[in-house]
Amino acid sequence: MLQAMYFDWGGTQEELKTFEKSWKSGCDECEGIDYKALYAPNNQKWHYAMFWETDNYHRWQEAAQIAQEKYGGEGRKYNKMTHAVFEIWIPYEYPK
């Protein structure tokens, strides 16, 4: 499945870089989740979007915990990440 986190960012670019790096490192250490990239969508209201491919909905939570505990990733700071939403896509299977 694919997961996305769309979010608005109010921190500095350096803080965003640190935030992304901690997420990437957390995903690298967590089985079943593959960090794709940080995107800046042109057709959405959000500042940024972060994407993962996972084998389980809860993998992002495991990766986030690793990011926070081992790589200094911050939890939700409302002055930096003012708004966020997750989306989840599952592969479509045609009926038999």
Side-chain angles (χ1 to χ4, degrees):
M1 79 180 58
L2 295 175
Q3 294 179 328
M5 177 175 62
Y6 297 102
F7 61 98
D8 289 334
W9 189 258
T12 67
Q13 288 294 291
E14 194 59 40
E15 290 168 325
L16 179 62
K17 193 180 291 186
T18 299
F19 177 74
E20 181 193 15
K21 186 177 178 182
S22 68
W23 262 103
K24 186 176 182 329
S25 297
C27 290
D28 286 347
E29 288 197 28
C30 184
E31 291 186 33
I33 186 167
D34 182 27
Y35 178 79
K36 294 301 183 186
L38 178 68
Y39 293 91
N42 289 328
N43 61 345
Q44 297 285 331
K45 78 167 219 69
W46 307 100
H47 296 160
Y48 301 99
M50 193 177 283
F51 287 85
W52 305 271
E53 189 167 359
T54 68
D55 64 1
N56 181 303
Y57 171 76
H58 298 286
R59 295 283 186 227
W60 73 268
Q61 293 172 314
E62 296 171 23
Q65 185 174 359
I66 292 169
Q68 289 176 18
E69 292 175 358
K70 292 183 79 174
Y71 297 101
E74 298 178 346
R76 174 80 183 270
K77 303 283 188 196
Y78 287 91
N79 63 333
K80 292 181 186 171
M81 186 184 295
T82 56
H83 300 88
V85 66
F86 279 88
E87 285 191 350
I88 300 155
W89 293 274
I90 58 173
Y92 179 75
E93 295 183 20
Y94 289 96
K96 294 182 180 188

